[in-house]
Amino acid sequence: MYEQDFSKDVQVRTFRTLFLSDIHLGTRGCQAELLLDFLRHHQAETIYLVGDIIDGWRLRKKRFWPASHQAVMNLLLERGRQGTTIVYLPGNHDEFLRKSRKLRFGCVEFADDVEHVTAAGRRYLVIHGDQYDVVIQKAKWLAYLGDRFYVTALAMNTWLNIARRKLGMNYWSLGAFAKQHVKQFVNIIGQFENTVASDIRQRKLDGVICGHIHHATSRDMNGLHYLNTGDWVESCTAVGERFDGTLEIVRWAGSEQATTRTNHDREPVIAA
């Protein structure tokens, strides 16, 4: 049985809002232990679960649900029972939950997308993001094929990091490196971001907070604020809203190596 150790005093950072996506519970690549550590050190008045929280694609093929994955669900539900607002916006991997849209089950509210207003009054669309993915919408079979390649790459990454740990080195993501440096990945990410920004401009909103492509970033796109939450498979990132309305990307490498990414050429802190 999985048990969490809350006996030690920990420094907790409180946000007005936390945005988490692409956790992929039910897969071997899910960094559930790191997410539990992150949640232990972070509280929020509202938590948005921005899709692909549970990986229905993988669970349909083979059941994989260790105690740490159930512990993530239990902790989130416990936060909801304690008064945290929990909003679940299903993605393509947990699309079976889209039938629950605009409903509330216990302490969890379901919706396809929502408009979030920050403490500073700026309006953001919160949505998983697969709605902007041409492959998902037009050629889903290709998306399933891509998912199989992705699982293979994650398996390779697991063995790579076992070797790195034995050498005393920190976790390193092969997939994240490829997305930053391989031209094809960079082009796909750029197209996705431009498509999202175009829709947000038509909706006359100030920005968007989404997931789906497993690439965390915060950037200004000609006056629109584009935020991607990243994932809890490779990058272990979230988006946090401070009480003054500022939005930032939080990168988590464990409580002993905790870092908050706030100043980067592609990840500015923007008072929202």
Side-chain angles (χ1 to χ4, degrees), residues 12-269:
V12 177
R13 186 180 184 195
T14 303
F15 284 96
R16 181 174 183 259
T17 316
L18 276 174
F19 304 83
L20 301 164
S21 82
D22 298 274
I23 298 173
H24 289 276
L25 294 169
T27 69
R28 296 185 183 278
C30 171
Q31 301 288 333
E33 298 280 358
L34 274 176
L35 178 56
L36 286 167
D37 188 58
F38 173 83
L39 291 171
R40 185 185 179 199
H41 289 81
H42 295 82
Q43 294 274 2
E45 293 180 351
T46 300
I47 297 177
Y48 287 100
L49 301 174
V50 194
D52 287 3
I53 306 304
I54 300 170
D55 197 318
W57 289 13
R58 305 310 304 173
L59 287 171
R60 281 200 300 266
K61 295 180 179 180
K62 184 177 182 180
R63 179 172 174 79
F64 178 77
W65 196 263
S68 59
H69 291 210
Q70 185 60 47
V72 170
M73 295 295 295
N74 292 343
L75 182 53
L76 288 169
L77 290 172
E78 180 61 26
R79 291 282 172 88
R81 287 190 289 267
Q82 292 174 352
T84 299
T85 300
I86 308 288
V87 183
Y88 197 133
L89 304 106
N92 50 300
H93 281 260
D94 48 14
E95 60 188 350
F96 62 94
L97 290 171
R98 284 181 169 159
K99 297 177 182 179
S100 306
R101 63 184 182 277
K102 297 182 181 178
L103 295 176
R104 176 181 291 275
F105 293 150
C107 58
V108 181
E109 177 184 347
F110 289 85
D112 285 340
D113 57 71
V114 297
E115 182 181 309
H116 174 73
V117 182
T118 69
R122 288 170 61 86
R123 297 159 56 226
Y124 284 75
L125 177 69
V126 185
I127 189 170
H128 177 63
D130 62 296
Q131 298 88 340
Y132 302 105
D133 189 329
V134 175
V135 173
I136 291 291
Q137 299 302 322
K138 302 297 183 181
K140 200 167 186 177
W141 65 270
L142 188 57
Y144 283 119
L145 182 61
D147 180 63
R148 297 196 62 167
F149 279 112
Y150 183 63
V151 170
T152 302
L154 285 177
M156 294 173 57
N157 199 61
T158 298
W159 288 108
L160 173 64
N161 278 286
I162 289 174
R164 287 177 63 87
R165 281 197 299 272
K166 289 182 178 180
L167 295 172
M169 303 171 71
N170 295 330
Y171 178 83
W172 181 78
S173 172
L174 175 64
F177 178 83
K179 288 177 182 177
Q180 292 178 21
H181 298 282
V182 177
K183 185 176 180 180
Q184 185 176 2
F185 278 117
V186 173
N187 289 340
I188 290 172
I189 291 169
Q191 292 171 7
F192 177 84
E193 292 176 352
N194 290 331
T195 301
V196 174
S198 176
D199 181 56
I200 299 308
R201 187 169 285 107
Q202 291 179 9
R203 293 177 185 240
K204 301 186 184 303
L205 298 174
D206 297 300
V208 62
I209 302 169
C210 62
H212 185 57
I213 60 172
H214 293 209
H215 183 71
T217 191
S218 171
R219 58 185 299 214
D220 179 88
M221 300 184 70
N222 297 319
L224 297 175
H225 188 191
Y226 170 86
L227 279 146
N228 194 292
T229 54
D231 67 280
W232 286 88
V233 177
E234 298 174 272
S235 58
C236 297
T237 53
V239 168
E241 180 197 354
R242 303 176 193 169
F243 286 92
D244 64 356
T246 301
L247 292 164
E248 64 181 84
I249 290 178
V250 182
R251 298 183 180 274
W252 195 250
S255 53
E256 294 181 357
Q257 304 175 38
T259 59
T260 300
R261 186 73 165 273
T262 56
N263 291 295
H264 189 275
D265 55 340
R266 284 177 57 87
E267 295 180 2
V269 173

